[in-house]
Amino acid sequence: MDRAPISISLILVAVASLAVAQSAAPDTLLPVPKYAEQNKADRAVREKYKTELASRAPADRLALAHQFNEMAIAGTDPATQYVLFRLARDCAVNAGAFPYAMSIVDDTARVFAINAPEMKASALSIGIDTARGDPATLAGNYLKVADDALAKWDPDLASKAAYLAHKLARGNPALLADSDARDHAARLESHEVLDVMSAQRKLARDADDPQANFLIARHLCFHLNRCEIGLPYLAKSAPGKLKDLADKDLSAPSDPAAMAALADEWWDYTDPKGDLPLGSGHRRAAYWYAKALPGLSAERKAQAEKRIAESK
């Protein structure tokens, strides 16, 4: 994987509207303080914590990252608050705690109108040169960021983290394979998102297009686990077992026996084309088994509980 990470811009698949956009910052977010204000606050914080900041040991840097982040979350004047978030992020990166650095960026974005994806990518890039620790551990921490990003459908960040892990993993076949696997998963996610974008454009022209409805339903129901939004799309897909299941699901059975029967159908569903993630039917079955549980017989309840556990 000796190549630059994928370069598509961060795509936000909005679950409620399927709109692809970068939203404007809400009115409640503070603007990033001016550089002069930041510099003044930075000098004050560094003077107060000059002893702690002098240590380059990863454990000390991580402890300071937690301290600064907690202080920033607690709140103070905007300039000092922003500087504390920034120092916390930098200390976490210095410690090689890349997943925590990403969460600090998220904390910052809850207060200030920042470009969080750009800040995360920048922090990861800086870490390759400034983080202390053995290469294998640092590579593993980059892979944790990649996994978190994949779970949040952020293929750009996942690919970036996988690429940096690969650079640190030279000579370690297991880590090289792991970084390649994350990069491959990020590329698949990117294609999935692009498929959804294309399907959305098709539906703007023809709301009944079966394949476009299926692609959006697959993403919402079986990748994002948002069947309450995706099932109406699935019901407009091509005739077949999945469409039948969607129709039955949308009829919202209220009788425990009927709910359990629907769960059984989801559980037994097999995807002949391999278009769905593994376990997709089981996860939807677990939803209906859980709703049916209070009204089931002891034997049926035991089976349902076993299947719910197996679906996780």
Side-chain angles (χ1 to χ4, degrees):
M1 195 186 74
D2 244 347
R3 56 183 181 272
I6 53 177
S7 59
I8 63 168
S9 60
L10 179 64
I11 301 171
L12 303 176
V13 181
V15 174
S17 64
L18 290 172
V20 179
Q22 278 193 301
S23 301
D27 293 339
T28 55
L29 294 182
L30 299 175
V32 174
K34 296 179 180 179
Y35 285 117
E37 296 170 341
Q38 289 185 46
N39 290 338
K40 181 179 179 180
D42 185 79
R43 287 193 298 271
V45 173
R46 288 181 183 276
E47 176 62 27
K48 184 174 181 179
Y49 293 94
K50 60 183 178 181
T51 301
E52 293 87 345
L53 285 166
S55 174
R56 312 305 295 177
D60 293 339
R61 300 299 280 185
L62 182 57
L64 200 54
H66 281 282
Q67 183 178 353
F68 284 158
N69 196 50
E70 289 167 4
M71 291 167 61
I73 291 172
T76 177
D77 65 278
T80 301
Q81 188 177 25
Y82 187 81
V83 165
L84 286 169
F85 276 131
R86 190 188 69 208
L87 289 173
R89 181 197 68 219
D90 291 347
C91 285
V93 168
N94 295 157
F98 305 128
Y100 184 50
M102 300 300 98
S103 74
I104 292 171
V105 175
D106 288 333
D107 289 337
T108 309
R110 294 186 186 99
V111 181
F112 293 97
I114 62 169
N115 185 328
E118 183 178 285
M119 187 176 286
K120 287 181 178 182
S122 175
L124 290 182
S125 296
I126 291 170
I128 200 77
D129 296 318
T130 64
R132 291 173 175 257
D134 67 276
T137 298
L138 294 176
N141 287 340
Y142 274 124
L143 292 178
K144 290 177 183 176
V145 173
D147 288 339
D148 289 343
L150 288 169
K152 296 174 182 175
W153 281 84
D154 186 348
D156 276 357
L157 187 65
S159 184
K160 176 80 171 179
Y163 173 72
L164 293 170
H166 193 276
K167 292 184 70 172
L168 288 166
R170 298 186 188 282
N172 188 322
L175 282 174
L176 286 171
D178 285 343
S179 61
D180 285 346
R182 268 52 166 216
D183 180 70
H184 179 66
R187 291 173 185 276
L188 289 178
E189 274 200 3
S190 296
H191 290 307
E192 168 80 11
V193 172
L194 292 173
D195 284 345
V196 172
M197 293 170 63
S198 176
Q200 187 182 0
R201 288 193 293 269
K202 285 183 180 178
L203 290 186
R205 299 190 298 269
D206 178 6
D208 296 320
D209 184 289
Q211 181 62 11
N213 275 289
F214 169 74
L215 290 172
I216 289 178
R218 180 181 66 181
H219 188 68
L220 288 171
C221 292
F222 306 119
H223 285 298
L224 299 183
N225 200 29
R226 296 300 302 270
C227 283
E228 75 279 10
I229 301 171
L231 281 169
Y233 293 96
L234 192 59
K236 296 176 75 172
S237 63
K241 183 60 178 177
L242 264 182
K243 174 177 168 53
D244 292 343
L245 281 170
D247 289 335
K248 291 179 180 180
D249 207 304
L250 289 169
S251 71
S254 57
D255 176 69
M259 288 190 283
L262 176 57
D264 289 341
E265 289 196 62
W266 274 114
W267 187 268
D268 293 336
Y269 176 73
T270 56
D271 176 23
K273 296 182 180 179
D275 287 332
L276 304 184
L278 291 175
S280 295
H282 287 188
R283 286 191 291 274
R284 190 55 184 172
Y287 168 83
W288 283 108
Y289 281 133
K291 288 180 72 69
L293 278 180
L296 297 180
S297 66
E299 181 179 355
R300 194 75 166 95
K301 185 175 183 179
Q303 181 199 44
E305 288 175 334
K306 181 173 182 293
R307 287 184 170 182
I308 291 171
E310 290 175 1
S311 71
K312 294 179 181 178

